Amino acid sequence: MRILRPRDIPSSEITDESLYWNRREFIGAAAAVAAGLIPASPLSRRERGTGGEDTSERGTVGQADKLTPFEDITTYNNYYEFGTDKADPSRYAHALKTRPWTVAVEGEVAKPKVFDVDEIIRRYPAEERVYRLRCVEAWSMVIPWLGFPLSKLLGDVQPTSHAKYVAFTTVHRPEEMRGQRGNVLPWPYVEGLRLDEAMHPLTILATGLYGKPLLNQNGAPLRLVVPWKYGFKSIKSIVRIRLVREQPPTTWSMATPGEYGFYSNVNPNVDHPRWSQKRERRIGELRRRPTLMFNGYADQVASLYSGMDLARYY
Ligand SMILES: Nc1nc2c(c(=O)[nH]1)N[C@H]1C(S)=C(S)[C@@H](COP(=O)(O)O)O[C@H]1N2
Ligand SMILES: [Mo]
């Protein structure tokens, strides 16, 4: 497997964590607040995770986790609807029209509703969450998302007592998504979570990153982020969220059942059949670092899986 940086980025271009926070506070903050992207009160030092202290409460990460540069987050992507090369999404995703855009929230709920995405953005104020994203291909990034807990949206549609899982669907538009004209995966891309995973406070719907609205290659206008699971669970450009009784099918487990299961929790002790998951390369770094159980969020999520054999339910 090839793991390359998209291109050589001059050091002057690399977005440094402190630089980002300075810019955000002195230049970007007012505009971002006006656009409804971030809350008006700046996050405290503790919440930013810049002090090296325990910031686990909000799922933020410590000083050892330097933010991945914006350039890398937006040019080194997996989004097979636009091609399989890491550079394809940034090349071709502009063809997707992200407005008007609706998201149907339906199924086992008392109050199903078709939302306009701008209504979602207005109704659920975005907070900043700095999360690690660990791809199943053994690379990782640290991304300052803007988003809100999925639990807020689900709470508002009132899941019935029959709701046990949540099924997510990406938009299906072969005219705009050139990869969907081929059969590299079954389309549309679908993903799923158990209801308790979906309701967990770390699980967010993201609408932006680095203080700006999401670019198409990152899943505009609305994508899931589940930081303790491999990146492919974080489905992009969502048009349907359906509460269901049974475990729903997921794209990668349909495509390659022997390699990808429903749970897909980051787990250094369970190898992928074709490679080890013990280590990972942070994009922009040369060294490999150890992969952490549940991607480092074990203290917050391990209890969801108590008593489960995670080698069987991979
Ligand atoms: N619809 C859709 N969602 C997707 C993918 C995809 O191909 N299609 N790729 C997944 C994978 S494998 C990863 S690692 C993450 C990457 O998200 P990022 O490009 O924002 O870093 O998106 C996930 N969401
Ligand atoms: Mo991935």
Side-chain angles (χ1 to χ4, degrees), residues 73 76-81 133 135 139 141 143 145 170 189 217-218 223 231-232 234-236:
I73 298 175
Y76 189 89
N77 302 100
N78 273 335
Y79 198 167
Y80 277 30
E81 284 85 339
L133 182 140
C135 181
W139 48 266
M141 299 192 187
I143 303 178
W145 299 107
T170 293
Y189 195 99
Q217 54 266 44
N218 294 111
R223 59 89 59 83
F232 66 84
S234 292
I235 181 174
K236 295 175 172 178

Side-chain angles (χ1 to χ4, degrees), residues 131-203:
Y131 284 162
R132 285 179 287 271
L133 182 140
R134 170 55 158 82
C135 181
V136 73
E137 296 166 282
W139 48 266
S140 60
M141 299 192 187
V142 181
I143 303 178
W145 299 107
L146 293 174
F148 62 91
L150 173 61
S151 63
K152 292 194 176 169
L153 178 70
L154 297 183
D156 284 351
V157 295
Q158 298 175 14
T160 71
S161 60
H162 299 298
K164 296 288 185 288
Y165 294 88
V166 187
F168 304 85
T169 307
T170 293
V171 71
H172 186 224
R173 271 190 218 161
E175 330 76 60
E176 297 173 21
M177 304 172 104
R178 64 206 316 273
Q180 286 183 338
R181 294 173 218 151
N183 292 322
V184 59
L185 287 176
W187 309 114
Y189 195 99
V190 290
E191 258 305 335
L193 295 173
R194 226 169 48 191
L195 185 60
D196 58 343
E197 298 176 322
M199 295 299 286
H200 192 282
L202 286 182
T203 303

Side-chain angles (χ1 to χ4, degrees), residues 17 25 28 41 46 51 66 69 103 117 133 138 150-151 158 166 177 181 184 187 216 218 237 248 259 268 278 292 311:
E17 185 176 12
E25 274 161 29
S41 60
R46 175 182 157 75
K66 198 163 127 67
V103 182
V117 76
L133 182 140
L150 173 61
S151 63
Q158 298 175 14
V166 187
M177 304 172 104
R181 294 173 218 151
V184 59
W187 309 114
N216 287 0
N218 294 111
S237 305
E259 299 188 359
K278 283 198 175 13
L292 304 173

Side-chain angles (χ1 to χ4, degrees), residues 194 196-198 200 228 263 294 300-306 308:
R194 226 169 48 191
D196 58 343
E197 298 176 322
H200 192 282
W228 72 94
Y263 283 94
F294 295 113
Q300 295 157 88
V301 302
S303 62
L304 295 173
Y305 310 101
S306 56
M308 274 175 71

